[in-house]
């Protein structure tokens, strides 16, 4: 190396802060695009070829074995929907209305600060009627709040015995999304993107869509779809529901597509030179992401334009489908993303945190998701996409069988309950029409086949073709993985 | 490069400024203490440095070892005895029920009248894997319910072998841990063979590796191409990114050099038609083809009608009509067909179902799951002495239909403007409030506030 170049490359204080400022987006003033492109990382670990190479060299990663699912649609119900009022039918509780939860059931387990001061814990049976729908076993009891989903019971795989370590929203969502309660690890979608790569070079590999709910809503941090220590190209891209789906994606007035191309070519040249000198992999990521953004200028407007959908399909998703940002619109968008090869679509439905007003609020929450999510499954199925699209539905924890606050004949609330709750899956290699795991008569403890979050992650990765112990990334001196040092694939859930 | 190399450099780089600051502001003793701590961290990392993988760390943490394959884990030692004991009575030398013999490798690959018993390329399409995985009371379950069943351990080993692509040579990779949950294995400590898992899938006589320039051409054209699995020469190709601009000439040009490798292909939503399907007829490894919403016609499907491996086909959203039935009926390996909006008449669908009872046929009209029993009311009781309780859902019932937006503009409790997210449903109506506290007062006595809603 030339001595002058060497001198120039020495890390000076000025250079250090100059870069830090650039990575915060202050220099560019385009924060939204910055979010899409990902902040450059100062000390990003150099990637080594832990991913298996494709037949032509390192051009495409491949799963460890032939996968059952090629893509994931993960419907996260933020807040923790009550399993007792939706999926985990406990008719015996109706004979215990307003009686105290027996100490032998609670067994001194921890409570949140919201109910630990309550003098008593009165049992609140669900106010909703249940129907038993036929499935591959002896039927699934499903609440009147989910009639459309119930009619698809033969497609669904219920896990009634999920449990988690966290009792508050933020760590619980972080745990579900990243396999760890502490922030900083890559999200499940980022791992999927890292392991499988993109199947459509014109769109991000991992897309996030958010729907506002009713009642109490918790904050959704962007790190829930972050890439942690993985290269930043793997982080989720949030599509906005109002206005432009991606800010600053449109060229400003007076700038033609040719102008934009010329500008990117020149910037690309500078960046390539920088990448050669600094050997920083994040510069390469940045070049690739600018090119991706250029192609997204064409692909995103086409993606979000529903005018090519016929009336029959629109009506399948229900009356709210034409309103951007609703769960119905996002479910339809998820189908359009899936058929365009996007690997991981994360739908967030906010507002399942019913500490009070539960019967009145849950009707709204359920009405917002029931028909659209059932439509999504049907619509994928008839297009031949359901068999290799893995669908996951669930919150970050469940809710208590005792009432938070006053229990009256017309109203009750439920506190957070991490010790047991229900999730369901469908499609991509999952056993159809079954229920797995059991809770006790109070839906308070698990009595059969407990499934922890790491087990669920291991099983999902298995369906995507990965041995969860081998999908690793070296960071801070050890090989990290989504399941950390735990996780067991649950064969009973796999078709 | 071992992971320990990264770690040690990472730790030292990360802590250096920290030490420098401490050295400048605290007494020398404190800095020395930090130095000692650094040495300790270094030592701890040293002790992990000997462990190369998470597998070793897992073992060191005392996690249970995975169940293991019988030794030696070859086809002859581990698999053949199971087939001889549990299957050969009906599918062996003497009897060949369903025209299927499991006596030789060739016989398994050739299969019986319902298709190949094993599929090295896409294991889930092999019939043996499907049949042994069915519930015992299913009519298609193998061995049949009245016969001697596979033990849990045998099932785990057999499934493991089949999911690896049924390799006949060499040792089986990995361990059947996944299939053997709940199977107690006495011999702990051996975590499968050391060979790289997955490498065994393509047999020595499998297709050659794809031509690098053909793969590069696909990538250049922004077409997705990916090996089916690590080490496999077979490919999944998806034209989704360029569907709208694709044509037959381009598709043929890109695909032709990969005739021996394409196993899973999607041309969905592109304006390609029969000329491309005619090319695909000469792709021997093709298992799955998605031509949804394209311009394919009966002629193209006829070209594919003798394809011996095509098992999954998506022809939804092509107005094909009953003219394509003969082609579909003569596809020997077809196991799954999606034909929503393919203009197949009810008679045509019935003909297809009658002729191919094992075919999974989806015409988009799957009946809903039947409601076996439905609760008509929710009744709360207290067991001893207490009066009957009026159920909350009595005045609350009926699923909400239509808009989720509140009908009222003023909060019935406070009279303030409604904030949409503070809404509830009462008697099928969406009622909005101004804050999260007002609904609580409302629930205490709904009747008191209902007349304020007008």
């Amino acid at each position: 190396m030339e001595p002058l170049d060497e001198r120039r490359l020495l890390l000076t204080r000025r250079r250090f802060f100059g870069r830090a400022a650039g990575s915060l987006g202050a220099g560019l003033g385009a924060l939204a695009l910055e979010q899409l492109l990902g902040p450059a990382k100062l000390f990003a670990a150099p990637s080594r070829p832990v991913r298996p190479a494709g037949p032509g060299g390192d051009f495409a990663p491949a799963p460890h074995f032939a996968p059952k699912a090629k893509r994931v649609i993960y419907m996260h119900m933020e807040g923790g929907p009550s399993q007792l009022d939706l999926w985990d039918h406990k008719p015996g509780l109706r004979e215990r209305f307003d009686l105290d939860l027996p100490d032998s059931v609670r067994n001194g387990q921890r409570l949140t600060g919201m109910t630990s001061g309550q003098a008593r814990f009165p049992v609140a049976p669900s106010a909703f009627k249940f129907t038993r729908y036929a499935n591959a076993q002896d039927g699934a009891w499903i609440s009147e709040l989910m009639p459309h989903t119930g009619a698809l019971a033969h497609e669904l795989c219920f896990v009634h015995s999920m449990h988690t370590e966290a009792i508050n929203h933020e760590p619980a969502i972080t745990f579900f999304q990243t396999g760890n309660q502490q922030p900083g690890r890559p999200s499940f979608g980022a791992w999927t993107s890292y392991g499988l790569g993109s199947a459509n070079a014109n769109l991000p590999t991992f897309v996030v869509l958010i729907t506002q709910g009713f009642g109490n809503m918790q904050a959704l941090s962007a790190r829930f779809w972050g890439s942690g220590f993985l290269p930043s190209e793997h982080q989720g891209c949030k599509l906005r529901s109002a206005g432009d789906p991606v800010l600053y994606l449109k060229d400003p007035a007076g700038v033609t597509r040719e102008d934009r191309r010329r500008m990117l070519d020149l910037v690309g040249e500078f960046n390539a030179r920088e990448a050669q000198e600094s050997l920083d992999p994040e510069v390469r990521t940045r070049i690739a992401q600018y090119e991706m953004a250029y192609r997204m200028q064409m692909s995103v407007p086409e993606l979000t334009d529903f005018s090519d959908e016929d009336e029959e399909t629109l009506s399948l998703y229900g009356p709210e489908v034409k309103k951007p940002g609703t769960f119905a619109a996002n479910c339809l968008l998820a189908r359009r993303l899936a058929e365009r090869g996007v690997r991981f679509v994360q739908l967030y439905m906010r507002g399942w945190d019913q500490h009070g007003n539960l019967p009145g609020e849950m009707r709204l929450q359920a009405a917002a998701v029931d028909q659209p999510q059932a439509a999504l499954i049907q619509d994928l199925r008839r297009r031949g996409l359901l068999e290799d699209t893995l669908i996951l539905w669930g919150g970050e924890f469940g809710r208590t069988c005792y009432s938070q606050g006053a229990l009256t004949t017309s109203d009750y609330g439920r506190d957070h309950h991490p010790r047991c709750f229900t999730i369901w899956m469908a499609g991509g290699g999952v056993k159809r029409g079954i229920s797995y795991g059991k809770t006790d008569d109070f839906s308070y403890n698990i009595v059969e086949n407990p499934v922890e979050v790491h087990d669920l992650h291991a099983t999902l990765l298995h369906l995507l073709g990965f041995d969860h112990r081998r999908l690793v990334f070296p960071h801070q001196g050890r090989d990290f993985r989504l399941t950390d040092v735990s996780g067991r694939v649950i064969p009973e859930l796999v078709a | 490069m071992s992971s320990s190399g990264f770690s040690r450099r990472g730790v030292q780089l990360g802590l250096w400024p920290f030490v420098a600051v401490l050295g400048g502001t605290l007494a020398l003793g404190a800095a020395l203490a930090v130095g000692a701590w650094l040495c300790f961290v270094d030592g701890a990392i040293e002790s992990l440095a000997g462990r190369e993988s998470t597998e070793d760390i897992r073992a060191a943490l005392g996690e249970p070892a995975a169940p293991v394959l019988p030794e030696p884990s070859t086809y002859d030692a581990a698999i053949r005895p199971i087939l001889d004991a549990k299957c050969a009575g009906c599918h062996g030398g003497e009897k060949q029920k369903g025209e299927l013999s499991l006596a030789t490798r060739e016989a398994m690959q050739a299969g019986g009248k319902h298709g190949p018993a094993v599929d090295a390329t896409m294991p889930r399409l092999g019939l043996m894997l499907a049949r042994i995985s069915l519930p015992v009371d299913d009519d298609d379950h193998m061995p049949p319910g009245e016969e001697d069943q596979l033990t849990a351990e045998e099932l785990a080993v057999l499934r493991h072998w089949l999911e690896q692509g049924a390799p006949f040579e060499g040792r089986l990779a990995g361990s059947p841990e996944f299939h053997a949950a709940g199977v107690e294995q006495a011999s702990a400590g051996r975590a499968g063979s050391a060979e790289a898992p997955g490498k065994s899938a393509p047999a020595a006589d499998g297709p050659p590796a794809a031509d690098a320039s053909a793969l590069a051409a696909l990538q250049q054209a922004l077409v997705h191409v990916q090996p089916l699995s690590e080490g496999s020469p077979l490919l999944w190709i998806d034209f989704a990114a360029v569907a709208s601009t694709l044509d037959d000439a381009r598709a043929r040009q890109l695909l032709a050099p990969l005739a021996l490798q394409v196993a899973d292909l999607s041309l969905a939503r592109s304006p390609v038609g029969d000329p491309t399907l005619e090319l695909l007829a000469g792709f021997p490894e093709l298992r799955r083809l998605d031509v949804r919403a394209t311009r394919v016609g009966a002629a193209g499907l006829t070209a594919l009608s003798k394809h011996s491996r095509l098992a999954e086909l998506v022809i939804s959203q092509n107005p094909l009509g009953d003219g394509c039935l003969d082609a579909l009926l003569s596809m020997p390996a077809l196991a799954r067909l999606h034909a929503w909006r393919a203009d197949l008449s009810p008679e045509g669908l019935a003909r297809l179902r009658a002729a191919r009872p094992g075919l999974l046929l989806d015409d988009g009209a799957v009946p809903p799951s039947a409601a076996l029993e439905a609760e008509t009311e929710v009744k709360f009781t207290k067991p001893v002495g207490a009066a009957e309780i009026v159920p909350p859902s009595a005045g609350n019932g009926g699923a909400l239909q239509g808009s989720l937006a509140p009908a009222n503009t003023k909060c019935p409790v406070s009279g303030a403007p409604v904030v949409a997210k503070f809404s509830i449903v009462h008697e099928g109506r969406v009622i909005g409030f101004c804050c999260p506290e007002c609904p609580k007062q409302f629930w205490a006595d709904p009747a008191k506030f209902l007349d304020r809603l007008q």
Side-chain angles (χ1 to χ4, degrees), chain A residues 269-295:
Chain A
E269 216 173 281
F270 290 148
N271 277 337
R273 213 180 297 166
E274 171 69 16
Q276 209 169 3
E277 284 176 0
S278 66
L279 301 177
D280 183 346
E282 286 295 314
V283 181
R284 299 250 175 241
T285 297
R286 178 57 55 96
I287 297 171
Q289 298 294 74
Y290 275 143
E291 288 301 317
M292 162 80 79
Y294 177 71
R295 294 194 300 270

Side-chain angles (χ1 to χ4, degrees), chain A residues 82-91 94 126-160 352 362-363 366 369-371 373-374 377 393 422-426 432-435, chain B residues 368-378 399:
Chain A
S82 162
Q83 76 280 15
L84 282 149
D85 298 280
L86 295 174
W87 320 112
D88 203 10
H89 187 36
K90 298 294 172 192
R94 290 173 188 160
S126 176
F128 300 107
K129 300 188 280 282
F130 277 64
T131 300
R132 186 161 67 92
Y133 292 93
N135 67 358
Q137 297 172 334
D138 54 358
W141 282 101
I142 293 171
S143 156
E144 63 176 309
L145 294 179
M146 295 281 183
H148 292 91
T149 311
L152 285 173
H154 55 274
E155 293 286 0
L156 307 180
C157 172
F158 284 99
V159 179
H160 291 303
W352 287 99
M362 269 190 84
R363 279 197 188 277
V369 302
D370 175 45
Q371 188 176 353
Q373 73 201 13
I377 293 172
W393 189 104
T422 300
I423 61 148
W424 55 259
M425 297 184 278
R432 301 166 73 231
I434 66 154
S435 296
Chain B
S369 306
L372 301 173
E373 56 184 305
E375 295 172 341
T376 52
E377 59 166 349
V378 177

Side-chain angles (χ1 to χ4, degrees), chain A residues 200-223:
Chain A
N200 183 337
N202 295 339
L203 287 170
T205 318
F206 174 15
V207 170
V208 179
L209 305 169
I210 297 172
T211 302
Q212 307 302 325
F214 302 89
N216 200 16
M217 285 183 268
Q218 300 292 333
L220 279 182
S221 324
R223 63 178 168 74

Side-chain angles (χ1 to χ4, degrees), chain A residues 61 63 70 89 94 130 132 134 151 154 196 200 215 310 312 339-340 343 360 363 382 387 409 477 485 489, chain B residues 7 63 178 224 226 230 241 264 269 292 312 316 336 341 369-370 372-373 375 381 383 392-393 396 421 425:
Chain A
K70 290 174 183 156
H89 187 36
R94 290 173 188 160
F130 277 64
R132 186 161 67 92
H154 55 274
L196 289 174
N200 183 337
D310 58 74
E312 189 269 347
E339 68 184 347
R340 282 161 180 76
R343 293 288 195 167
R363 279 197 188 277
R382 63 193 193 178
E387 59 183 271
T409 54
V485 294
V489 178
Chain B
S7 68
E63 286 185 38
F178 157 67
H224 177 64
Q226 190 165 34
E230 170 178 31
D264 184 348
R269 302 169 57 246
R292 179 171 69 81
E312 299 188 349
S316 293
R336 182 191 281 271
R341 289 192 185 164
S369 306
L372 301 173
E373 56 184 305
E375 295 172 341
T381 50
S393 63
N396 220 359
K421 73 171 190 169
V425 180

Side-chain angles (χ1 to χ4, degrees), chain A residues 96-136:
Chain A
R96 305 188 70 91
F97 176 80
D98 205 19
L99 294 186
D100 287 331
L101 176 69
D103 283 344
S104 59
V105 172
R106 198 192 125 203
N107 218 357
Q109 296 299 332
R110 69 179 165 170
L111 305 169
T112 73
M114 291 168 281
T115 49
S116 57
Q118 275 186 207
R120 52 186 294 264
F121 300 101
V123 167
S126 176
F128 300 107
K129 300 188 280 282
F130 277 64
T131 300
R132 186 161 67 92
Y133 292 93
N135 67 358

Side-chain angles (χ1 to χ4, degrees), chain A residues 4-329:
Chain A
L4 275 177
D5 284 344
E6 207 172 333
R7 162 77 183 79
R8 202 162 46 79
L9 279 177
L10 285 174
L11 187 67
T12 61
R13 181 178 171 278
R14 186 173 297 249
R15 189 175 166 84
F16 182 91
F17 286 110
R19 281 190 167 203
S23 77
L24 294 173
L28 290 170
L31 277 166
L33 194 62
E34 191 69 20
Q35 185 204 1
L36 161 71
L37 301 175
K41 285 174 194 161
L42 284 174
F43 292 121
S47 53
R48 65 171 186 184
V50 284
R51 288 196 303 209
D58 196 25
F59 76 94
H64 299 140
F65 41 85
K68 292 187 162 77
K70 290 174 183 156
R71 60 194 85 80
V72 179
I73 298 176
Y74 180 178
M75 300 187 260
H76 185 93
M77 301 293 127
E78 178 275 321
S82 162
Q83 76 280 15
L84 282 149
D85 298 280
L86 295 174
W87 320 112
D88 203 10
H89 187 36
K90 298 294 172 192
L93 293 183
R94 290 173 188 160
E95 288 159 22
R96 305 188 70 91
F97 176 80
D98 205 19
L99 294 186
D100 287 331
L101 176 69
D103 283 344
S104 59
V105 172
R106 198 192 125 203
N107 218 357
Q109 296 299 332
R110 69 179 165 170
L111 305 169
T112 73
M114 291 168 281
T115 49
S116 57
Q118 275 186 207
R120 52 186 294 264
F121 300 101
V123 167
S126 176
F128 300 107
K129 300 188 280 282
F130 277 64
T131 300
R132 186 161 67 92
Y133 292 93
N135 67 358
Q137 297 172 334
D138 54 358
W141 282 101
I142 293 171
S143 156
E144 63 176 309
L145 294 179
M146 295 281 183
H148 292 91
T149 311
L152 285 173
H154 55 274
E155 293 286 0
L156 307 180
C157 172
F158 284 99
V159 179
H160 291 303
S161 51
M162 279 304 302
H163 61 103
T164 180
E165 293 166 8
I167 199 167
N168 285 315
H169 299 284
E170 185 82 359
I173 301 176
T174 308
F175 189 33
F176 245 95
Q177 298 302 336
T178 71
N180 195 304
Q181 291 189 54
Q182 306 295 328
R185 301 279 179 91
S187 56
F188 181 31
W191 279 111
T192 307
S193 166
Y194 165 69
L196 289 174
S198 168
N200 183 337
N202 295 339
L203 287 170
T205 318
F206 174 15
V207 170
V208 179
L209 305 169
I210 297 172
T211 302
Q212 307 302 325
F214 302 89
N216 200 16
M217 285 183 268
Q218 300 292 333
L220 279 182
S221 324
R223 63 178 168 74
F224 293 149
W225 48 93
S227 57
F229 42 72
L230 293 177
S232 44
E233 68 196 80
H234 300 299
Q235 74 182 311
C237 171
K238 187 178 86 174
L239 295 190
R240 293 155 47 91
S241 53
D244 291 338
V246 181
L247 279 186
Y248 309 121
L249 196 62
K250 262 190 216 142
D251 287 323
V255 175
T256 65
R257 196 148 166 81
E258 288 68 40
D259 293 339
R260 176 64 74 194
R261 183 67 263 170
R262 287 213 312 278
M263 184 275 268
L264 285 174
D265 284 344
L266 186 62
V267 171
E269 216 173 281
F270 290 148
N271 277 337
R273 213 180 297 166
E274 171 69 16
Q276 209 169 3
E277 284 176 0
S278 66
L279 301 177
D280 183 346
E282 286 295 314
V283 181
R284 299 250 175 241
T285 297
R286 178 57 55 96
I287 297 171
Q289 298 294 74
Y290 275 143
E291 288 301 317
M292 162 80 79
Y294 177 71
R295 294 194 300 270
M296 281 172 67
Q297 290 189 312
M298 301 300 277
S299 61
V300 168
E302 188 267 342
L303 167 79
T304 52
D305 177 8
F306 291 174
S307 61
D308 59 344
E309 299 287 342
D310 58 74
E311 274 309 313
E312 189 269 347
T313 303
L314 290 171
S315 65
L316 193 64
Y317 286 84
E320 300 245 289
V321 71
K322 289 181 181 163
K323 214 163 122 196
T326 59
F327 201 71

Side-chain angles (χ1 to χ4, degrees), chain A residues 43 46 48 52-56 59-68 70-71 89 91 94-99 125-135 138-139 141 144 147 150-155 195-202 213-215 217 295 302 310 312-313 319-320 323 339-341 343 356-357 359-361 363-364 367-368 379 381-385 387-388 408-412 431 462 468-470 472 474 476-479 481 484-492 494-495, chain B residues 1-4 6-8 13 52-55 57-58 61 63 66 121-124 133 159 163 175 177-182 197-198 209-210 212 215 219 222 224-233 235-236 238 240-242 264 269 288 290 292 312 314 316-317 336 338-341 362-364 366-383 389-393 396-405 420-425 430 436 439-440 443-444 446:
Chain A
F43 292 121
R48 65 171 186 184
F59 76 94
H64 299 140
F65 41 85
K68 292 187 162 77
K70 290 174 183 156
R71 60 194 85 80
H89 187 36
R94 290 173 188 160
E95 288 159 22
R96 305 188 70 91
F97 176 80
D98 205 19
L99 294 186
S126 176
F128 300 107
K129 300 188 280 282
F130 277 64
T131 300
R132 186 161 67 92
Y133 292 93
N135 67 358
D138 54 358
W141 282 101
E144 63 176 309
L152 285 173
H154 55 274
E155 293 286 0
L196 289 174
S198 168
N200 183 337
N202 295 339
F214 302 89
M217 285 183 268
R295 294 194 300 270
E302 188 267 342
D310 58 74
E312 189 269 347
T313 303
E320 300 245 289
K323 214 163 122 196
E339 68 184 347
R340 282 161 180 76
R343 293 288 195 167
N357 290 331
E361 260 180 41
R363 279 197 188 277
L364 281 167
D379 207 10
R381 183 177 61 197
R382 63 193 193 178
R383 285 162 207 262
L385 287 162
E387 59 183 271
D388 50 19
T408 71
T409 54
S410 48
D411 190 27
Y412 53 92
K431 237 178 220 166
H462 176 86
H468 68 101
R469 293 164 302 181
R470 287 172 61 215
V472 296
Q476 288 186 338
R478 76 158 163 112
D479 284 351
R481 55 186 227 218
D484 206 352
V485 294
S486 318
R488 184 181 69 94
V489 178
I490 312 280
E492 289 87 345
V494 178
Chain B
M1 168 77 67
S2 75
S3 57
S4 62
F6 277 118
S7 68
R8 296 185 60 187
L13 257 183
E52 280 301 300
S53 68
T54 46
E55 203 53 56
I57 293 172
R58 184 177 142 101
L61 291 173
E63 286 185 38
T121 301
M122 291 174 79
R124 70 189 166 86
S133 306
R159 284 196 61 155
E163 294 218 331
S175 74
E177 170 196 29
F178 157 67
H179 302 291
L215 295 174
Q219 282 197 295
L222 298 183
H224 177 64
V225 53
Q226 190 165 34
L228 282 195
S229 62
E230 170 178 31
S232 169
L235 302 173
W236 165 38
D238 193 329
V242 293
D264 184 348
R269 302 169 57 246
R288 185 176 201 281
D290 186 347
R292 179 171 69 81
E312 299 188 349
V314 183
S316 293
Q317 294 173 291
R336 182 191 281 271
H338 291 274
W340 171 58
R341 289 192 185 164
D362 178 8
D363 64 337
V366 181
S369 306
L372 301 173
E373 56 184 305
E375 295 172 341
T376 52
E377 59 166 349
V378 177
K379 205 170 162 185
F380 293 169
T381 50
K382 270 186 181 178
I389 297 161
V390 181
S393 63
N396 220 359
L400 176 69
Q401 298 290 338
S403 172
L404 301 175
K421 73 171 190 169
F422 303 121
S423 299
I424 56 145
V425 180
V430 181
K440 291 176 186 162
W443 284 120

